[in-house]
Amino acid sequence: MERPSRLFDSLVLGGQPLPNRIVLPPLTRSRATNDGIPTQLMEEYYRQRAGAGLVISEGVVIAPQATAYARVPGLYSAEQVAAWRPVVAAAKRHGAAVYAQLWHVGRQSHSTVQPDGLPPKAPSAIPITGYQYRAPSGRIPYEVPRELTTAEITDIVQAYGTAARNAVRAGFDGVELHAANGYLIDQFLNDASNQRTDHYGGSYENRMRFLLEVITEVARSLPAERIGVRLSPSSDWMDARDTDKRTLYSTAVRTLNELGLAYLHLVEPEIAGSTTVARPEDSIPTAELAALFDGVVIVTGGHDQTSAERLLADGTADLVGFGRLFIANPDLPQRFRTGAALEPLRPAGIYGGGHEGYTDYPSLAISGL
Ligand code: PHB
């Protein structure tokens, strides 16, 4: 007998009923304007993928300094807020909850995209080694970042708060804080990128201070039950290294568990940024961390329908994200429901460009399958 599907069960997230357990996870697609203003093309992209239960936006930068790449959208100007409204409305048309992922890349930025043309700022003046920056001209080395002053850290915390307020104004139901993949919050968490001697470095409590200050500030605009946090506990992608990731991230999850958040979003160990790699030897099983969190857990990274059903059935996850499958299959929930074949992902147009590789993947109704 066929097992019942759990992917199409409802779930209440932050007081809001979701139509299913399928998540469009955050995916950088670089289709905003050069000023970080969302476009009509983005509206079309999110409209096509509105069948998810939860739509998490691509990373949205909280300030001009927070970006790593051209054409990433922002939530720091009135024009951006106004242009997000139709995009969010399109994503909501089938009843999905729609969250904005708030993003600051810290040392993953580059002087060529910084407003002052100088190297980016980070917890410590330690560059990323072993990885290269994705410049329009090709891959180039990362620079030595400038160390943030405590006053600058306070400014960034406030910018997260402003971006969250702007997210609410734009119609988002909640926000996700990007604390994964070696970006700014993760740079504070990991000791290889945080060698500060003030109250933002050293102990776990100190390294978690920035994240907790951001949550407190964002919670002035949104209830905690509408704030999610994304972590990539086993990844050392972009040189996110720590002497003891198991203690670091289990401490972080236990602390987050006390806050009544919307959800914890865990990236699977075999994901390195946007690609699948061999599972690191010292990886922390996702189920181990998920068990420390009493609220909603989202798991994302390399899953298909079968493995997602397994995660839901064994209680590891409450919701499952499908990034690459959703890029190539805008109507992914419908395909899962009907057992229809999946379209393969094409490499062209993943980052930047226009319609091609972005909004030209067929939906069943259009393709007549
Ligand atoms: C990417 O642009 O490849 C990217 C962005 C954000 C992530 C991971 C990958 O968290």
Side-chain angles (χ1 to χ4, degrees), residues 75-353:
L75 262 172
Y76 52 83
S77 77
E79 293 87 343
Q80 292 166 347
V81 174
W84 269 114
R85 282 199 189 103
V87 179
V88 177
K92 284 185 169 180
R93 72 186 175 122
H94 296 309
V98 182
Y99 279 45
Q101 194 201 45
L102 302 186
W103 196 20
H104 192 309
V105 306
R107 67 177 184 166
Q108 287 196 44
S109 187
H110 195 269
S111 55
T112 49
V113 293
Q114 284 295 306
D116 60 6
L118 294 171
K121 294 188 179 169
S124 297
I126 302 169
I128 295 169
T129 55
Y131 295 84
Q132 290 193 307
Y133 174 70
R134 191 169 74 224
S137 57
R139 301 277 170 168
I140 57 174
Y142 280 101
E143 299 160 317
V144 180
R146 291 177 285 164
E147 181 176 311
L148 286 160
T149 66
T150 51
E152 288 168 338
I153 293 173
T154 303
D155 288 347
I156 295 175
V157 169
Q158 280 169 0
Y160 271 99
T162 304
R165 197 156 55 247
N166 287 340
V168 173
R169 288 191 183 126
F172 285 104
D173 297 303
V175 300
E176 172 175 291
L177 302 175
H178 194 344
N181 294 342
Y183 292 108
L184 182 64
I185 296 174
D186 209 21
Q187 289 160 34
F188 273 97
L189 295 178
N190 283 275
D191 60 13
S193 48
N194 182 352
Q195 292 285 313
R196 296 181 73 94
T197 53
D198 62 9
H199 60 299
Y200 289 102
S203 65
Y204 292 118
E205 190 186 356
N206 282 357
R207 285 187 269 144
M208 281 175 20
R209 187 177 310 279
F210 178 67
L211 169 59
L212 295 177
E213 285 183 355
V214 169
I215 293 172
T216 302
E217 187 65 26
V218 166
R220 288 153 59 100
S221 305
L222 282 157
E225 64 165 8
R226 293 296 180 102
I227 303 169
V229 173
R230 184 171 218 227
L231 298 174
S232 52
S234 294
S235 176
D236 55 10
W237 189 67
M238 288 294 163
D239 212 11
R241 287 176 293 110
D242 192 85
T243 45
D244 183 1
K245 279 190 187 275
R246 182 176 242 107
T247 308
L248 170 63
Y249 287 100
S250 52
T251 304
V253 171
R254 284 182 215 275
T255 304
L256 294 172
N257 189 45
E258 301 300 313
L259 306 180
L261 299 173
Y263 62 77
L264 173 68
H265 189 172
L266 295 172
V267 179
E268 288 282 24
E270 48 276 278
I271 299 301
S274 57
T275 55
T276 300
V277 295
R279 178 182 280 250
E281 256 172 46
D282 56 350
S283 66
I284 312 156
T286 299
E288 179 183 318
L289 292 168
L292 302 175
F293 196 77
D294 299 319
V296 170
V297 173
I298 308 175
V299 175
T300 297
H303 286 289
D304 59 17
Q305 187 171 5
T306 306
S307 65
E309 291 286 7
R310 207 179 305 130
L311 285 177
L312 297 177
D314 72 17
T316 301
D318 302 289
L319 296 165
V320 183
F322 303 91
R324 286 165 285 182
L325 291 184
F326 239 131
I327 292 178
N329 297 275
D331 56 348
L332 187 67
Q334 201 189 335
R335 290 187 192 232
F336 281 169
R337 201 192 274 281
T338 59
L342 298 182
E343 197 76 24
L345 180 66
R346 290 177 263 127
I350 292 180
Y351 297 111

